[in-house]
Amino acid sequence: MASTHTEEPLAEDTADHDAHIYEEVMFCEKMEHSQRLAVEELITTEASYVHNLQLCLSDIRAHLQKKQLPGLDLEGLFSNIDDILHVSRRFLRGLQDTATQEHEQLLSISTLFQEFKEEMEMVYKIYCASYEHALLLVESYRKDPRLQEEIMDTLTATVPHTSASDLSFFLVMPVQRVTKYPLLLGKILENTPASTSTHAALDAAVRAMTQVNANINEYKRRREVATKYNKAEQLTLRDRFARLNTHSIAKKTTRLSRLLMHEAGIVAKTEDKEYDDLEEKFQNVASSVAALKENMASYLQHLEAFLLPTPHKCELQIEEGPAQQYRRLAEHLHRAVFPEFRRRLDRLVWQPLCSLAEMLVGPQQLVKKRLDKLLDYEEIQERKSETGSVTYDEEAAMNTYLAINALLVAELPRFNQVAMQLLGQLLGSFIVLQQDLAAEVLHEAKKELEQMPHGHMLLPAFWRMVEDSLQQSGVQLRTFIQAFETVTPNPVPQPLNPAEERKVLSLVSKHGPDKLYQVTSNISGSKDMDLTLQRGQIVALLQSVDTKGNTGRWLVDAGGPRGFVPAAKLQPYCPGPIQQPRMQMPALESGTERRRHSYVPPEAPKPQVATFTPAFQVVAGFSFTARSPQELSLQAGQPVVVLEPHDKKGSTEWSLVEVNGQRGYVPSSYLLTVPVQEPAGWSLPV
C-alpha cells in the first residue's frame, strides 16, 4: 500500500515536468517561427523597396525627363535618390546572401547593418534634409493644372498598378524605410533568446540604426537652421528700419557690448581651435575666388577692347606682299581664333567661377551668423551660471548656436576641399586655354611666314633687312613731310563782319591780346555759372581757377556773358598777319612792285589796339546736297567764300557762296564763321 502511494506523486511530477518541457519547446518554436517571419519580412520588404526605387528612377523620372517640362525641377524632387538606390541594391544582395547561412544568418544580418550604417547615414541624411523642399515642389505642381496633368499621365503610363495620386507616394519611401530598420531589427531581437550570442549582436545593430536615425534628425535640424540664416537678403534701408523693434535693438546692443568687451580683453572669448582653423582656410578660399573673379573680369574687358577695332576690314588698296599677308593673318585671328578663345574662356572659366562665387555666399552668411549666435550663447551661459536656469527662448538660442557650429565644423572641411579643387581646375583650364591660343596663333603665323620672301632667312640677315626697310621708310617719311609743308595751302581767310570784329576788339581792349583763348571743341554748360560755347569762339581769360580752387575750370569773358569753362578745351589764340585795308593799298604802284607785293612781308603792325584785326574764315557746319542747279553741294568742314549773305530777293536764309571755283546758293544756317589759326609747324610757300 505504501509503495502505491509513493508511485502516484512521482507520476504527477513527471507529468508536470513533461508539460513544462512541452511548453518551453512550443515557446521556442513559436519564437523561432516569429523570428523567421521577421527575417523574411526584412528581406522581402527590402526587395520591394528596391523595386519601387528602380521604378521611381528608370520609369517615372526618365519619362518626365523626356517630356522636358518647363518649370519642373527634377533634381529638387528626386534629390540623391540614385545614391540611395546604389546603396540599397548592395545591401539587398547582402541580405539575400544570408539566407544560405542557416545558423549564422542572424549574426550575418547584424554584421551587415554595422557595415552599412555609415553609408546609409550619409545618403539618407541628404535625402531627408531635402524632403521638405520636395514636398513643397509637389504642392506647387498641384496648383499648376498643366504640370499636374503631365505628372498624372506619367504615373498612369509607368506605374498604373500603384494607384499613386501624386509623386509624394514614391518620394516618401526612403524616409519611411530608414526609420523602419530599427523596428524590423527590434522584432527579430524580441524573438531571439537573451542567452544566445546572436542577441548581443542584434542588440548592437538595433542601437546602431537607432543612432543613424538620430543623426539624420540632428542633421536635418541643422540644415533647417542653416537654411534660415544662410540666405543673403537684399534689404532696402526702409526694410531694415521696419525690422527694428525694442527686442532687436536690445539684442544688437548686447552683442555689440559683448564684442567690445572681447576686444578690450574684459571677458574671455570662447576658444574653438578646430573651427577657427576651418574658418581661416574658408576665408582664404573666399578671398582667392573674389580676387580671381575680379582679375578675370578685367581680363575679359581688355579682351573685348582688343577685339573691338577691326582695321583689317578697311578696304585699303594694298599690293600683294607682307602687308597683305599680315592683313589676312589679322583678319583670320579676329574672326576665328580670338572669338573662339573668348567663347571657350567664358564657358570653361568665367561661368564656373561665377557659380563658385555664388556658392560661397551661403557659408559666408552662416559664418557671420555664427558669430552673432556665439555672442548670444556666451551671454546666456554667463546668466545661467549666475541664476542657475534659463528660459525656453534662451535654451532655443543656445541650441541654435550649437547647431550652426556643429554644421560648420562638419561641412566646412569638405566644402573647403571641393572649393580648392574647383579653383585649381579653373586655373588649370585658364592656363590650357592660354597655351592653346598661343599655339593656334603661332601655327597661323608660321603658315603665313612660309609664304613671305624672308620666311626662310637666317636671323642676322632678317634683322639687317628690317634695319634697311626702316631706314628707307624714314627717308620716304621725311620727304613726304617736306613736300606736305611746302605745298599745303593756308586756309582762306574771311573778313570779319562788323559785329564779330567789334566783339574781338572789345575783348582785346579790355584784357589784352595775351589773354585771348580759342575754344577747341563745343562746350555745353551743365552747372550754374557754366557757359555754352561753340568751337572756334574767342574768349578772354579772367581767372585760371574756379571758386573752389579747381584749376581745371577757368573763368572767362565771352564778349558779354561771363562764366566757367573746362580749361582743357581752351588754347591760346594767336591770329596771323592780316592784309591792310583796301583804302591803304597804294593805287599807283609800278608793275614790278605789284608783282612783288604778295611776297613782301607786311610791315610790323603798330602796337595800337585799333589795328589788331584777327582773321576768320567761313566753313560749312553741316553737309548739304544741292536740289537744283542754283544750289551748291557742301561737305561738313569745307571752307567757302561768301559772295553775298542773301539771295536775289534779299532773304538772309540763303547765301551765295563759291567753293572750288563753283558758285551757288546754300542755307545760311549751314555756315559757320570760325577764327583761322595758322597750324603749328606749317610754313607758307615762299
Side-chain angles (χ1 to χ4, degrees), residues 46 50 54 84-94:
E46 186 69 20
V50 171
Q54 291 173 336
I84 294 177
L85 178 60
H86 176 68
V87 173
S88 298
R89 280 174 175 169
R90 292 168 44 231
F91 182 69
L92 175 61
R93 284 196 296 269

Side-chain angles (χ1 to χ4, degrees), residues 310-602:
T310 53
H312 55 271
K313 293 184 179 180
C314 300
E315 295 297 333
L316 302 177
Q317 295 181 354
I318 304 176
E319 297 180 358
E320 191 65 31
Q324 189 65 261
Q325 288 173 315
Y326 176 76
R327 180 178 179 273
R328 286 196 297 265
L329 174 61
E331 183 175 5
H332 177 71
L333 294 179
H334 272 73
R335 289 184 177 179
V337 177
F338 287 119
E340 177 62 21
F341 168 74
R342 180 178 57 187
R343 285 190 293 270
R344 294 181 65 196
L345 184 66
D346 181 73
R347 185 179 71 255
L348 299 177
V349 179
W350 177 248
Q351 292 181 7
L353 182 60
C354 292
S355 299
L356 179 58
E358 292 176 0
M359 288 169 53
L360 294 170
V361 174
Q364 285 174 329
Q365 288 293 117
L366 209 55
V367 167
K368 180 181 177 182
K369 185 56 65 174
R370 177 198 176 274
L371 176 60
D372 293 340
K373 296 302 178 181
L374 173 61
L375 297 175
D376 296 342
Y377 179 83
E378 292 177 343
E379 188 71 22
I380 296 172
Q381 281 284 75
E382 186 176 318
R383 193 179 305 121
K384 182 179 181 180
S385 62
E386 295 176 356
T387 61
S389 62
V390 293
T391 64
Y392 176 80
D393 292 338
E394 291 174 339
E395 185 72 26
M398 294 175 67
N399 291 334
T400 298
Y401 162 72
L402 294 175
I404 294 177
N405 185 74
L407 181 64
L408 287 174
V409 170
E411 298 292 333
L412 275 184
R414 185 165 177 269
F415 185 90
N416 290 337
Q417 181 182 4
V418 172
M420 287 296 294
Q421 290 176 352
L422 289 175
L423 197 58
Q425 291 172 1
L426 292 177
L427 289 172
S429 300
F430 180 67
I431 293 172
V432 172
L433 288 176
Q434 292 279 22
Q435 292 174 342
D436 292 346
L437 176 64
E440 182 70 16
V441 173
L442 185 60
H443 175 70
E444 296 297 332
K446 283 183 177 179
K447 288 197 303 185
E448 293 294 337
L449 182 63
E450 291 174 354
Q451 303 175 16
M452 294 184 179
H454 54 274
H456 302 283
M457 277 187 180
L458 296 177
L459 192 59
F462 171 75
W463 284 118
R464 283 196 299 270
M465 185 197 70
V466 171
E467 291 177 359
D468 294 341
S469 299
L470 290 176
Q471 290 178 358
Q472 293 176 5
S473 300
V475 172
Q476 293 176 356
L477 181 60
R478 285 191 293 272
T479 303
F480 173 75
I481 292 174
Q482 292 174 359
F484 182 77
E485 291 180 345
T486 302
V487 303
T488 303
N490 198 40
V492 180
Q494 294 293 323
L496 293 173
N497 60 48
E500 293 168 337
E501 184 177 356
R502 285 195 299 270
K503 175 183 172 182
V504 175
L505 292 176
S506 175
L507 291 175
V508 173
S509 63
K510 289 181 180 178
H511 309 287
D514 57 331
K515 294 290 187 180
L516 294 188
Y517 283 81
Q518 186 176 12
V519 179
T520 58
S521 60
N522 293 340
I523 298 175
S524 178
S526 58
K527 300 179 181 179
D528 294 340
M529 294 297 293
D530 282 359
L531 292 181
T532 298
L533 302 175
Q534 299 297 321
R535 178 178 177 272
Q537 202 166 339
I538 306 299
V539 297
L541 176 63
L542 298 178
Q543 190 174 352
S544 58
V545 66
D546 64 5
T547 55
K548 295 183 179 180
N550 182 11
T551 57
R553 293 175 73 234
W554 288 0
L555 179 64
V556 300
D557 182 0
R562 297 186 176 189
F564 294 99
V565 296
K569 294 189 176 183
L570 298 177
Q571 66 178 7
Y573 176 64
C574 302
I578 306 303
Q579 295 179 353
Q580 298 294 330
R582 293 180 185 175
M583 59 185 301
Q584 297 176 359
M585 297 280 294
L588 299 174
E589 291 178 317
S590 64
T592 303
E593 289 175 344
R594 270 197 306 273
R595 285 193 299 271
R596 296 176 57 192
H597 180 270
S598 59
Y599 299 96
V600 177

Side-chain angles (χ1 to χ4, degrees), residues 155-180:
L155 294 177
T156 304
T158 55
V159 286
H161 59 282
T162 60
S163 301
S165 59
D166 54 31
L167 290 173
S168 60
F169 177 84
F170 291 93
L171 298 180
V172 74
M173 287 181 179
V175 179
Q176 293 175 335
R177 188 62 186 174
V178 72
T179 56
K180 201 169 183 180

Side-chain angles (χ1 to χ4, degrees), residues 238-289:
R238 177 176 296 181
D239 294 335
R240 294 181 185 277
F241 275 116
R243 289 192 172 190
L244 289 177
N245 52 47
T246 306
H247 174 70
S248 63
I249 293 175
K251 185 165 61 175
K252 292 180 184 299
T253 303
T254 303
R255 290 174 180 172
L256 180 59
S257 62
R258 190 82 186 178
L259 189 61
L260 292 176
M261 285 191 291
H262 279 174
E263 298 300 327
I266 300 175
V267 294
K269 297 180 182 179
T270 300
E271 296 292 339
D272 190 340
K273 187 170 183 353
E274 181 183 8
Y275 171 80
D276 292 341
D277 293 341
L278 291 173
E279 184 192 357
E280 182 180 4
K281 187 173 182 180
F282 171 75
Q283 297 297 354
N284 291 335
V285 171
S287 61
S288 300
V289 171

